[in-house]
Amino acid sequence: MLGTAPAYLLSWGAWRLLSSVLPARVYHKLDDRLYCIYQSMVLFFFENYTGVEIVIYGDIPKKKENVIYLSNHQCTADWIIADMLAIRQSALGHVRYVLKDGLKWLPLYGWYFSQHGGAYVKRSAKFNEKAMKKKLFTQTQAGAPMYLVIFPEGTRYNPELKNVIADSQAFASKQGLAILRHTLTPRMKASHIAIDTMKGHLDAVYDVTVAYEGTLDASGQRRPAPSMPEFLCKECPRVHIHFDRVDIKEIPTEPVFFRRWLHERFEIKDRLLTDFYESKDEDKICKFPGEGKASPLNLSKTLPSVVILGGLTLPLLLTENGRKLYVRTWVYGTLLGWLWVNVFP
């Protein structure tokens, strides 16, 4: 996956240059298609190769929508779960992320995620509302389809980090909010800004709760969710995804009421995860309530992308000049990317 990044970036760069004289809507359309190709290749490894079973509770709309995806956050693999749902709705190219600021330093990826419409945010007092609003407003004005992924907890829930959980619960108590046991207390700022800025562009919020099977130890204690490398090593046999669509008209926009609404959604998540991890019924443990349906991903949706990106990458590696271009793309692309995301957040 990392090996194909320079070939992908060169292809995208050529399109970005050619599209500079075209309307923004035209650029976004092909950019989304290119992104879909790359992420389909990623899903080939994370889903087809690993053989993980995806179990979905709830009905994913068949038609594409402009949405915000709100989910609990446990591990780096959570980003891939958003892709897994999006590809089942033929919306993979529309996925954009709200990311913590430190991720902009990822070589090549950090810069490209910003170019694709992602927004980097800092926590607490350093949160730059103006920059996030500008990024989202620019996207909506250009008519870019939106599948914006946000993890309101702001950081990952790890059952072994007792101090992080305690601090989160103390914050909830101070704010007069219900204390959560299987998620952290959600922070509202990014979610509220996104909904408020794009309310005329959005159709719904997808409220998603994710649980990874295999994260209960022999004593019944919850263990950390798998990292991306662990996931690729087939350490997760099954992912359970609870899906709930909330119409955008049902979501309050006043900050006070929105905070309460968001916390109530996480109270629902907490109850779902409590049932998943702590049910006394052996038939219900490691399952969400309700009917879950296995949702296999057809190889025809991912393998062509592997072939395309592999075909673009191999010529670069087979000749000396190609290898030089490959290395230079990694080096100069990373340096220019770092400069760009810091000058133009």
Side-chain angles (χ1 to χ4, degrees):
M1 290 181 288
L2 291 172
T4 60
Y8 177 84
L9 189 68
L10 288 170
S11 302
W12 171 83
W15 167 241
R16 190 72 185 97
L17 187 62
L18 290 171
S19 68
S20 60
V21 296
L22 299 174
R25 189 181 299 269
V26 177
Y27 161 71
H28 283 298
K29 190 169 184 178
L30 188 56
D31 177 52
D32 284 1
R33 183 59 195 149
L34 289 171
Y35 187 72
C36 179
I37 291 173
Y38 185 81
Q39 293 296 78
S40 295
M41 182 269 295
V42 170
L43 286 178
F44 169 82
F45 291 101
F46 276 92
E47 195 163 346
N48 297 121
Y49 164 72
T50 62
V52 64
E53 183 179 11
I54 306 301
V55 182
I56 299 177
Y57 302 75
D59 297 318
I60 301 174
K62 293 182 179 179
K63 68 173 185 177
K64 288 183 267 191
E65 300 182 287
N66 290 316
V67 302
I68 291 177
Y69 169 110
L70 298 180
S71 176
N72 58 315
H73 193 20
Q74 307 161 77
C75 61
T76 51
D78 290 336
W79 301 101
I80 306 300
I81 305 303
D83 290 346
M84 289 176 176
L85 285 183
I87 198 172
R88 285 163 169 80
Q89 203 178 354
S90 301
L92 186 55
H94 305 165
V95 174
R96 310 174 208 285
Y97 305 106
V98 174
L99 302 146
K100 64 181 180 181
D101 191 68
L103 292 175
K104 70 185 180 183
W105 298 104
L106 284 172
L108 298 187
Y109 292 93
W111 173 53
Y112 178 73
F113 285 147
S114 176
Q115 292 297 298
H116 187 63
Y120 289 105
V121 296
K122 294 180 180 180
R123 299 190 184 109
S124 305
K126 296 181 179 180
F127 191 102
N128 190 334
E129 291 187 28
K130 185 177 179 181
M132 183 176 177
K133 287 180 178 179
K134 181 180 178 182
K135 172 61 71 75
L136 297 177
F137 182 75
T138 301
Q139 293 290 310
T140 55
Q141 286 295 101
M146 188 60 63
Y147 196 106
L148 186 66
V149 177
I150 303 177
F151 298 108
E153 291 161 279
T155 193
R156 285 168 267 170
Y157 176 97
N158 183 335
E160 295 181 349
L161 298 180
K162 305 297 185 184
N163 59 324
V164 174
I165 296 171
D167 289 345
S168 177
Q169 292 175 341
F171 175 80
S173 181
K174 184 178 179 181
Q175 298 295 319
L177 301 169
I179 292 176
L180 308 174
R181 297 174 54 243
H182 285 284
T183 72
L184 301 178
T185 303
R187 305 302 175 109
M188 62 165 275
K189 194 169 287 186
S191 305
H192 183 257
I193 288 174
I195 290 174
D196 188 55
T197 304
M198 302 190 296
K199 55 190 172 186
H201 188 65
L202 296 171
D203 298 301
V205 164
Y206 289 171
D207 184 5
V208 177
T209 307
V210 179
Y212 297 89
E213 198 164 316
T215 50
L216 274 180
D217 62 22
S219 64
Q221 296 298 308
R222 184 177 174 183
R223 297 190 295 109
S227 64
M228 282 187 178
E230 289 169 339
F231 200 101
L232 286 170
C233 289
K234 306 183 180 183
E235 294 189 17
C236 178
R238 195 171 290 108
V239 178
H240 296 260
I241 304 171
H242 189 279
F243 178 91
D244 190 15
R245 181 188 185 278
V246 184
D247 193 281
I248 198 67
K249 295 175 183 177
E250 298 176 13
I251 301 172
T253 54
E254 287 295 322
V256 173
F257 298 116
F258 180 81
R259 177 189 289 275
R260 172 59 61 185
W261 175 85
L262 182 62
H263 198 82
E264 286 174 353
R265 299 309 302 188
F266 268 76
E267 288 177 48
I268 295 171
K269 293 180 187 298
D270 199 56
R271 289 195 293 270
L272 289 169
L273 292 165
T274 298
D275 287 340
F276 187 91
Y277 287 109
E278 300 180 19
S279 176
K280 303 302 181 184
D281 188 334
E282 290 187 4
D283 293 329
K284 295 181 179 179
I285 191 78
C286 292
K287 294 178 183 177
F288 286 133
E291 181 184 4
K293 298 178 181 178
S295 177
L297 180 63
N298 196 300
L299 199 59
S300 64
K301 290 191 174 184
T302 58
L303 187 58
S305 297
V306 178
V307 174
I308 291 169
L309 288 169
L312 290 172
T313 302
L314 278 176
L316 291 176
L317 300 177
L318 293 177
T319 65
E320 184 177 352
N321 288 335
R323 288 191 290 272
K324 288 180 180 178
L325 178 60
Y326 183 89
V327 172
R328 286 170 181 165
T329 301
W330 265 111
V331 174
Y332 295 128
T334 297
L335 294 175
L336 289 172
W338 287 344
L339 177 64
W340 184 272
V341 295
N342 281 282
V343 174
F344 303 103

